[in-house]
């Protein structure tokens, strides 16, 4: 089966435009390997592409995307762990200097969690995946008088906090953070306006990246 026509067209446009401009860079990256400074952990959501948001060129971002941009806790057992494998490579091989957890508005994974949806398949993969968002015994509920939209946004942002917290359960992450070789960042993307908010970890507030850029 051929690829969908829009993908074929897109590839043609890539060859005519970006590849032509960046051919030398692609060759260099092929010969010398990648050396990105930053890993981004983002959501699978098609509206929230880290390479687009950060206007990144090939080789600049090492990107891991999953449902609701979640990082599990460090769990060295006999199971396969996709996020942990990507982290291991980014930190221990590529020696990235920054890890950015990128949350976003209108996140379907968070919405599924908030709405406590029924399993979508016998595996209930989304349900099990989102379950790691909460700690044992923790209760996540809408506050009285809290509008649903505010509740959802609070939980979307809490997902970024939880992922940052879980990142530090990985010994190889924690040791590099402590030595100053690695910095962890949180960010939140507003889909409608294309706005970016960056987590100020001291105040635990997300601040507009436009404000940060002008100060
Ligand atoms: Zn999402």
């Amino acid at each position: 089966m051929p690829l969908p026509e829009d993908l074929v067209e897109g590839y043609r446009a890539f060859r005519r435009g970006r590849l032509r401009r960046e051919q030398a860079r692609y060759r260099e990256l092929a010969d010398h390997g990648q050396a990105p400074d930053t890993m981004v952990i983002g959501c699978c959501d098609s509206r929230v592409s880290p390479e687009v948001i950060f206007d990144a060129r090939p080789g600049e971002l090492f990107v891991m995307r999953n449902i609701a941009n979640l990082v599990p806790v460090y769990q060295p057992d006999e199971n396969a762990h996709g996020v942990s494998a990507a982290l291991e490579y980014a930190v221990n091989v590529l020696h990235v200097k920054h890890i950015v957890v990128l949350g976003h508005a209108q996140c379907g994974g968070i919405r599924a969690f908030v709405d406590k949806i029924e399993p979508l398949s016998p595996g209930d993969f989304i349900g099990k995946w989102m379950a790691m968002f909460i700690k044992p015994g923790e209760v996540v509920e809408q506050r009285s008088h809290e509008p649903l939209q505010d509740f959802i946004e609070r939980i979307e942002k809490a997902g970024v906090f939880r992922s940052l917290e879980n990142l530090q359960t990985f010994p190889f992450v924690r040791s590099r953070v402590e030595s100053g070789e690695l910095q962890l960042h949180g960010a939140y993307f507003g889909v409608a306006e294309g706005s970016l908010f960056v987590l100020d970890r001291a105040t635990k507030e997300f601040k507009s990246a436009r404000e940060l850029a002008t100060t």
Side-chain angles (χ1 to χ4, degrees):
M1 289 296 283
L3 284 173
E5 192 52 38
D6 56 343
L7 294 191
V8 174
E9 256 319 301
Y11 179 64
R12 285 193 193 115
F14 165 74
R15 288 195 67 87
R16 284 192 304 268
R18 190 159 189 176
L19 182 63
R20 202 168 280 177
R21 288 194 305 279
E22 310 228 54
Q23 180 67 78
R25 185 177 177 84
Y26 273 107
R27 287 225 169 86
E28 191 190 314
L29 286 165
D31 290 345
H32 300 290
Q34 59 170 335
D37 280 340
T38 301
M39 176 181 192
V40 178
I41 297 168
C43 183
C44 297
D45 194 301
S46 60
R47 300 164 294 184
V48 191
S49 168
E51 293 89 343
V52 172
I53 295 167
F54 296 112
D55 195 24
R57 300 168 68 195
E60 288 183 344
L61 294 182
F62 187 77
V63 177
M64 168 80 212
R65 295 174 75 171
N66 61 47
I67 294 290
N69 42 270
L70 293 183
V71 176
V73 291
Y74 176 63
Q75 224 168 356
D77 55 27
E78 68 285 356
N79 297 318
H81 298 277
V83 180
S84 306
L87 258 181
E88 188 176 66
Y89 191 75
V91 175
N92 289 337
V93 178
L94 299 175
H95 301 140
V96 294
K97 298 182 180 76
H98 305 273
I99 298 177
V100 180
V101 177
L102 177 63
H104 73 100
Q106 287 95 37
C107 182
I110 295 290
R111 189 66 204 240
F113 172 78
V114 163
D115 290 346
K116 300 183 177 70
I117 59 161
E118 293 295 315
L120 299 175
S121 79
D124 187 21
F125 297 110
I126 291 180
K128 285 182 198 150
W129 178 252
M130 293 307 299
M132 73 177 166
F133 173 67
I134 46 171
K135 291 178 177 174
E138 193 176 46
V139 179
V140 179
E141 276 179 352
Q142 191 171 357
R143 293 168 182 155
S144 57
H145 308 302
E146 184 180 34
L148 180 63
Q149 201 45 50
D150 292 3
F151 171 52
I152 290 168
E153 186 174 324
R154 179 164 66 83
I155 301 306
E156 286 164 348
K157 289 178 175 172
V160 175
F161 282 108
R162 181 54 43 84
S163 288
L164 288 169
E165 198 179 309
N166 288 351
L167 271 174
Q168 299 192 70
T169 64
F170 287 76
F172 52 84
V173 170
R174 195 170 56 236
S175 66
R176 282 179 178 269
V177 167
E178 284 168 359
S179 67
E181 294 162 283
L182 174 63
Q183 290 179 24
L184 307 182
H185 312 270
Y188 180 84
F189 183 68
V191 173
E193 307 297 329
S195 45
L196 185 73
F197 300 87
V198 180
L199 178 62
D200 179 336
R201 298 190 67 193
T203 61
K204 298 196 169 182
E205 284 173 6
F206 284 84
K207 293 184 177 167
S208 167
R210 284 169 66 189
E211 267 171 52
L212 295 175
T214 54
T215 53

